[in-house]
Amino acid sequence: MGELADYLINNDPSFRSRSRLPALYSDFRPQRTLNPDGYSANISAWCHALSNLTFHGLISHRGSTPNLFLLSLDDNLLRSLDCKEFGQPLALGTVVREATAGRKLIPVQDFRKSQQSIYSRSWAGVPWTVMSWTLRQLGVINPSRGDDKLPTGQFVVVENLEAVAKELGDLTSEKISRFDRIFTKAQFKRAFSAGLVKGQRISDTDFDVLLLFLSRDKGIIEYDGQAIRIKGSGEQGGITKEDLAIASLKELTESLTHQTNLLNKRIDELSQQAKDAVARKNRVSALAALKSKKTAEASLATRYATLNQLEEVAAKIETAADNVQLVNVMESSGEALKSLNAQIGGADRVDAVMDRVREQMSATDEVGAILSESTGAVVDEGEIDDELEAMEAQEREKEEEALRVKEAAAAKIREEQEATEAEDMQKKLDELPDVPKEEPTTEKEKTPASETGIANLAI
């Protein structure tokens, strides 16, 4: 069994089910008309499998560093996908054709040469006949019948690029300052290549494809081949001279920092060499080590001074860039306020509007007062008060009567409880034994004198 087939069977849910393997490895092209749902499911399973294999670096090309965004198609791939029970997949060419038509796979030459985004309508509107002709030129004899020959070459895996673009957005979401969002190409790769695809190293070919995708298709970055700027809201397009200067400054600062780290390490090594030479009584070696140390220290001091100057310049540039953003925001805010105030029409128009509002509110109050005036017979207020007092007195009597009934019931319950308790107490007293009328005789304590009769003898 091929190593890729073994990986899919152990890790891919679609291939883990043994019942699905015969369908996935069969020539399922006729199902396109006989069973469209099964056909689509098989295509989707193989597309995801190829994307997954590529993203994990399992499809290598001639022993080089594996590409994570480029799928290399050749006969070696078919042999690696060979299954012991079902052989090689018989419809993998159809999978590539459908994936290309659906823009999941794109020939790398077309991807690089295109001036438009892969998401533009022109890509989606490629006629089926033109696509079939293109794939025949790539090696597919006939897309609908005959042998389903696998085309050879490299194809861009769009799904993998989209996953990395999303990850980049998460990593750069907190980079607000323009200074922090500008990099040289080398800086950008060092900063993000380790975090974009965990456990994998992005090849140079992959990195070029990724930068093109991020700039042309996603619009996340600006890139001119030298400098990269992560786009911020309200910024002009393209790489400016200021961007190039900032990128160069950051690259030089990073280079000097690396040099100072090397010099510090070199100075420590020379110091140890001098100590070892002194311990061996080797004066010549000790002097040579100390001279080299002094030279390294002088060079280190120079680099530190230059580095401090660069950091000061970088801080001022960052402040100036932030000020530019602030001024732009204030300017746009001023324009927005001006437009809104123009729509209001000035203070005179506001006064006129408020006068009309007050006038209409007064008219509304007047109409309400008229409507609330009584139109019926005059009501005797005293008669109403007397009737209300009578109703309240009647209600009080009802409450008092209810209270008396409640108290009487409570008193009756207490009397019954007391009578019950008295009856129980009497029963307990009746059950007690009678009190004896004569005192019981007690037997005197026996002593030796009483037992022998000596105590009864008269003297």
Side-chain angles (χ1 to χ4, degrees):
M1 179 181 290
E3 62 273 14
L4 297 185
D6 184 64
Y7 175 86
L8 291 176
I9 291 173
N10 291 325
N11 296 277
D12 195 303
S14 298
F15 289 78
R16 196 174 297 158
S17 174
R18 305 293 296 185
S19 60
R20 283 209 63 190
L21 286 178
L24 291 170
Y25 273 82
S26 67
D27 187 0
F28 51 80
R29 287 178 294 171
Q31 293 185 6
R32 187 180 182 199
T33 55
L34 299 177
N35 183 12
D37 291 339
Y39 179 83
S40 298
N42 291 337
I43 293 292
S44 178
W46 273 113
C47 287
H48 179 72
L50 293 175
S51 173
N52 192 29
L53 291 172
T54 304
F55 200 60
H56 286 84
L58 299 176
I59 302 179
S60 60
H61 184 64
R62 295 179 183 175
S64 61
T65 302
N67 293 318
L68 309 181
F69 311 137
L70 295 179
L71 171 62
S72 299
L73 298 178
D74 52 24
D75 293 337
N76 291 329
L77 178 61
L78 286 174
R79 286 190 289 270
S80 298
L81 291 171
D82 185 86
C83 181
K84 184 177 180 181
E85 299 178 58
F86 310 106
Q88 296 180 358
L90 301 178
L92 199 59
T94 298
V95 172
V96 174
R97 180 172 67 252
E98 292 287 356
T100 305
R103 294 182 299 169
K104 296 179 180 179
L105 296 177
I106 301 174
V108 65
Q109 298 87 351
D110 296 341
F111 182 85
R112 287 172 173 166
K113 292 178 181 179
S114 176
Q115 300 298 319
Q116 296 179 335
S117 169
I118 62 173
Y119 299 107
S120 64
R121 305 182 73 180
S122 60
W123 278 79
V126 176
W128 180 265
T129 55
V130 176
M131 184 62 67
S132 300
W133 178 86
T134 303
L135 290 170
R136 281 196 296 270
Q137 302 305 312
L138 292 173
V140 178
I141 296 176
N142 193 318
S144 60
R145 58 186 179 179
D147 294 335
D148 193 33
K149 186 177 179 181
L150 180 69
T152 59
Q154 288 186 317
F155 290 78
V156 175
V157 184
V158 178
E159 180 181 346
N160 295 354
L161 288 173
E162 289 177 340
V164 172
K166 183 179 181 302
E167 186 67 24
L168 178 64
D170 295 338
L171 292 175
T172 59
S173 59
E174 297 182 357
K175 292 186 179 297
I176 301 175
S177 172
R178 183 186 181 98
F179 188 89
D180 292 336
R181 292 184 282 107
I182 298 176
F183 308 86
T184 62
K185 183 178 178 180
Q187 276 184 318
F188 190 85
K189 186 174 182 179
R190 289 193 297 269
F192 298 107
S193 60
L196 292 178
V197 184
K198 295 180 180 179
Q200 298 291 340
R201 179 172 173 263
I202 299 179
S203 65
D204 294 337
T205 304
D206 272 344
F207 195 68
D208 291 336
V209 170
L210 176 62
L211 291 179
L212 181 58
F213 177 75
L214 294 174
S215 59
R216 182 193 64 193
D217 304 318
K218 282 294 186 179
I220 297 177
I221 65 172
E222 293 288 350
Y223 174 55
D224 66 348
Q226 297 179 352
I228 298 170
R229 187 183 79 246
I230 300 172
K231 284 188 176 181
S233 60
E235 293 180 347
Q236 63 180 359
I239 297 295
T240 63
K241 294 181 179 179
E242 293 79 6
D243 295 337
L244 292 173
I246 292 174
S248 299
L249 179 63
K250 292 178 68 175
E251 182 72 24
L252 181 57
T253 301
E254 187 174 334
S255 175
L256 285 175
T257 302
H258 180 66
Q259 292 178 25
T260 55
N261 292 333
L262 293 178
L263 285 172
N264 280 318
K265 184 178 179 181
R266 176 63 176 165
I267 290 171
D268 292 339
E269 292 174 351
L270 291 171
S271 296
Q272 188 61 41
Q273 289 179 11
K275 292 178 182 179
D276 294 342
V278 171
R280 297 192 307 268
K281 308 299 183 181
N282 190 338
R283 180 180 176 80
V284 177
S285 297
L287 289 174
L290 290 175
K291 289 180 181 179
S292 299
K293 177 185 174 184
K294 291 296 182 182
T295 303
E297 287 176 345
S299 179
L300 180 62
T302 302
R303 282 166 173 76
Y304 269 133
T306 305
L307 186 60
N308 290 334
Q309 292 178 352
L310 291 178
E311 289 176 349
E312 290 179 2
V313 173
K316 292 181 180 179
I317 290 177
E318 186 174 4
T319 302
D322 293 339
N323 290 337
V324 170
Q325 285 184 310
L326 178 60
V327 171
N328 290 336
V329 170
M330 297 297 292
E331 184 178 9
S332 61
S333 301
E335 293 296 329
L337 286 173
K338 180 179 179 181
S339 176
L340 294 173
N341 288 329
Q343 295 178 35
I344 292 174
D348 295 338
R349 181 168 177 259
V350 173
D351 287 337
V353 170
M354 294 304 298
D355 290 340
R356 289 197 297 270
V357 170
R358 284 190 288 268
E359 181 181 350
Q360 295 304 317
M361 290 177 63
S362 177
T364 301
D365 294 340
E366 185 176 355
V367 171
I370 295 172
L371 292 175
S372 63
E373 291 180 358
S374 175
T375 57
V378 178
V379 179
D380 188 354
E381 297 291 339
E383 183 178 349
I384 293 176
D385 292 338
D386 294 339
E387 184 177 356
L388 178 60
E389 290 179 1
M391 293 176 65
E392 290 176 347
Q394 185 179 2
E395 184 66 24
R396 285 195 297 271
E397 290 178 0
K398 290 181 180 180
E399 293 177 355
E400 292 174 357
E401 180 66 22
L403 181 60
R404 286 194 295 272
V405 171
K406 185 177 180 181
E407 291 177 352
K412 184 178 180 181
I413 292 172
R414 285 196 301 272
E415 290 177 358
E416 292 177 353
Q417 289 178 347
E418 292 175 356
T420 303
E421 292 176 357
E423 185 178 354
D424 293 339
M425 181 62 70
Q426 187 61 42
K427 288 181 180 180
K428 292 179 180 179
L429 291 175
D430 292 342
E431 293 174 356
L432 293 175
D434 296 335
V435 179
K437 296 180 180 180
E438 297 181 358
E439 294 184 0
T441 58
T442 58
E443 184 177 0
K444 294 182 178 180
E445 183 180 0
K446 294 181 178 182
T447 62
S450 62
E451 289 180 356
T452 56
I454 297 177
N456 297 326
L457 293 177
I459 299 177

